[in-house]
Amino acid sequence: MPETVVVQLKGAGFTYRGSAWAALSDIDLHLAPGRIHSVLGSLGSGTSTLARLITGLLIDRGTTTGEVRLDGTAVMLGDDPEAQLSGMTSLVGDEVQLSGRLHGDELAAVEQRARLVLDSLGIRDLWGRRLDALSGGQRQLVALAGLLTLRPSLLVLDQPSLSLDPDTRGRLGTVLQDFCSAGGAVLITAHQRDEVTEVSSEMSVLDSGRLITTRHRLTAEDCDHHGIWDTRTRQRHRTGRTATDGSERAKPAALTVRGLSVARLGAEVLDDVDLDVASGEIVTIVGSNGAGKSTLLRSLTGLLGSGDRTSGTITVDAHGSPINLGEAPTHERARHLGWVGQDPGSQLSAATVREELTHAAPLPPHRRRDRSAIRAQRQAAVTSTLARTELKAVSETHPYDLSIALRKDLVISTALIMGPRILLLDEPTLGRDRMAIGRLNLFMTEFIRRGGSILATTHDRRWAAETADRILLLDGGELRGDLG
Ligand SMILES: Nc1ncnc2c1ncn2[C@@H]1O[C@H](COP(=O)(O)OP(=O)(O)OP(=O)(O)O)[C@@H](O)[C@H]1O
C-alpha cells in the first residue's frame, strides 16, 4: 500500500520573477502524517522560499517547476516578527480564535480549542491580555496558537523559535509532537538548530536551493559546515574576547542603574534593579519570555508608554563626568545609549538602506552656516558605514526586503552612527545564521575596541557564553548574579 503523504515534492524548483537563477532546484521531499521534518540552511539558502512554496504563497511570484503536491490543509507561521498578528483584534483570546471564526467553525468549539492550545503552550494567563502589551516571545506564541487552533494537516513553521526562551522552545517541541501524534505533520525551516528542531523525525540541509543531506540528526560539524547556527551551549569559549578575570569590573562604570522599578499597565515588571556595566564590558541578560528584559532596555532609553511607572536612577559616564539621565528625553539619551530593539522593523522608516542611515547621521552643530558641508559630512558617515558592513550590497534596497538579520545590522548601524558610548541590544542574534552571528560579533568587538560598552538581552545561551563578560538572569523582576 502506498504511504500516505501530506506533502510531496518531486524535482521541485522555483525561480522568482526577474531573477536569473533558481531559488530552489530539484527538491525531493515527502512528509507523512505524524512526522516533523526540519530543513536547515544558512541565510539565502532558500529555506523561507521552500516554506512558502509548499504553502502556496509563491503563486504569481515566479515559476515553479517539478511537482508540489499537498494533500490536506497547510498553514504557515512566517519569519517576520512584526507581521505575525492579524491586526484585526486587540485581545489575545480573540486573536487566537480569529482564524477558526473566519473559517466558519462553530464558536464554542473554536473557543474550547483556543483555550486548550494556550494551555498546552503554557500561556493560559494571557487570554484576556492586550496584544500590544505582549513581550516578543509571547507574541510569537500567540501567533502560533492561532494556527494550532485551526488543526491543519500540515503546519509549516519558518523560524518558530524566534524570541522564545529555551524552556518554551522545549515546551513547543512537545506541543508539536502532540500535534503529530494526533495525525498532523510539521515542516520547520530555520537557520538555527535548537530545542524545537531537535524534536524532528528528520533533518535536512538546504544549500544554495538544493536539499543535500537528510538524516535523523545533524551533527554539530554538519551545522558548522553549512553555516547553520546552534543556540545551545557547547563549551564555554570566547570569540574575539580574552577571558575575564574580573578586571573589567575594576574599570570605571559606563552605566550605573540604581533602584530601577517599572510597572506596566499596573503590573510590576522590574523591582528595585541595580546594574553596573563597566567601560569595555559586554553584559548579557537572559530570562524567560515576559521576564522584563526588553522593558529594562526600554526604560533606560526612556521608551516606555505614558501609562507605565518608572522610578530609580540611571547614570552614564561621559568622558569621565557622570550624567544623570533622570528626566532626560529619549533623543538626549540616544546620544549616550544606542538602542537596537527586538523588532528591527519598528525602528526603520526610510525607503532604502542608504536613506535610513542618512536620517540617522547626526546633524553637526554648525547647521545654519554651511548646508553643503553638513550634507557632505553626513554622506561621508553613511559611505563609511556602508563600506565597513555588508549593507553596501543592499544600499538601495527597501529595509523591509532584507532578512531579519540584515535589518538588525541596519538598526545597529543607525545606532552606531550617532556615536553612543553604550549599545543596548535586544535579542541581537534573532534569525542569524553562523555567518551573521560572526558579523554581529565583529560589530561588537569593534565597538568595544573604540571604548564602548554593551548591554544585550538574549535567549541564545551559546552566544552569551561565547561573547559576554557577565551573564545576568532576570527573574521575578530582579536581576540575579553572574551565570557566566
Ligand atoms: N507595551 C506594554 N504595555 C504593558 N505591558 C507590557 C508591554 N510590553 C510588554 N509588557 C509586559 O511586560 C512584561 C515584560 O515584557 P518584556 O517585553 O519586557 O519581556 P521580555 O523579557 O523582553 O520577553 P521576551 O523574551 O519574550 O522578549 C510582560 O508581562 C509583558 O506582557
Side-chain angles (χ1 to χ4, degrees), residues 126 129-130 132-139 163-165 263-270 287-296 298 304-305 308 342 426-427 457 459 474:
L126 295 186
R129 192 76 80 80
R130 272 173 37 188
D132 63 354
L134 296 180
S135 75
Q138 290 168 338
R139 213 164 51 222
S163 300
L164 299 186
D165 66 56
R264 309 191 80 172
L265 292 180
E268 184 178 78
V269 178
L270 300 178
S288 55
N289 290 128
K293 301 177 298 299
S294 301
T295 299
L296 172 55
R298 280 177 168 270
L304 292 179
D308 302 325
Q342 190 166 346
D426 201 350
E427 292 193 37
T457 71
H459 293 302
L474 185 59

Side-chain angles (χ1 to χ4, degrees), residues 40-90:
L40 304 181
S42 59
L43 280 156
S45 62
T47 52
S48 297
T49 302
L50 178 63
R52 289 187 198 130
L53 179 70
I54 288 174
T55 38
L57 295 176
L58 291 180
I59 300 169
D60 297 338
R61 295 285 311 275
T63 310
T64 306
T65 52
E67 185 184 324
V68 181
R69 192 163 59 80
L70 179 69
D71 194 359
T73 51
V75 294
M76 175 177 160
L77 183 72
D79 68 347
D80 186 344
E82 290 105 46
Q84 285 171 353
L85 300 179
S86 69
M88 294 164 70
T89 62
S90 51

Side-chain angles (χ1 to χ4, degrees), residues 145-159:
L147 299 182
L148 283 165
T149 302
L150 273 173
R151 292 189 177 162
S153 326
L154 174 67
L155 195 54
V156 178
L157 306 174
D158 196 9
Q159 304 202 56

Side-chain angles (χ1 to χ4, degrees), residues 189-232:
T189 51
H191 308 304
Q192 301 187 345
R193 187 172 76 150
D194 56 36
E195 293 78 0
V196 181
T197 58
E198 275 311 279
V199 301
S200 307
S201 334
E202 287 93 31
M203 292 174 125
S204 297
V205 174
L206 191 65
D207 196 328
S208 306
R210 289 175 185 272
L211 269 191
I212 55 169
T213 309
T214 297
R215 290 209 205 112
H216 174 56
R217 278 277 152 276
L218 294 177
T219 62
E221 290 69 36
D222 288 330
C223 291
D224 286 350
H225 182 67
H226 294 290
I228 297 157
W229 179 250
D230 192 333
T231 63
R232 292 158 314 151

Side-chain angles (χ1 to χ4, degrees), residues 374-435:
I374 293 165
R375 211 174 300 125
Q377 237 173 302
R378 294 180 93 193
Q379 268 169 14
V382 171
T383 306
S384 123
T385 298
L386 288 173
R388 278 185 283 112
T389 63
E390 298 268 319
L391 297 170
K392 191 171 180 191
V394 290
S395 62
E396 305 312 319
T397 304
H398 194 290
Y400 271 84
D401 288 335
L402 303 177
S403 67
I404 301 166
L406 267 179
R407 256 183 266 165
K408 279 264 191 197
D409 285 356
L410 176 57
V411 182
I412 293 174
S413 298
T414 59
L416 288 176
I417 223 167
M418 299 279 291
R421 181 77 201 285
I422 300 153
L423 258 189
L424 306 174
L425 303 177
D426 201 350
E427 292 193 37
T429 63
L430 214 78
R432 290 183 186 268
D433 64 357
R434 193 159 173 254
M435 197 187 259

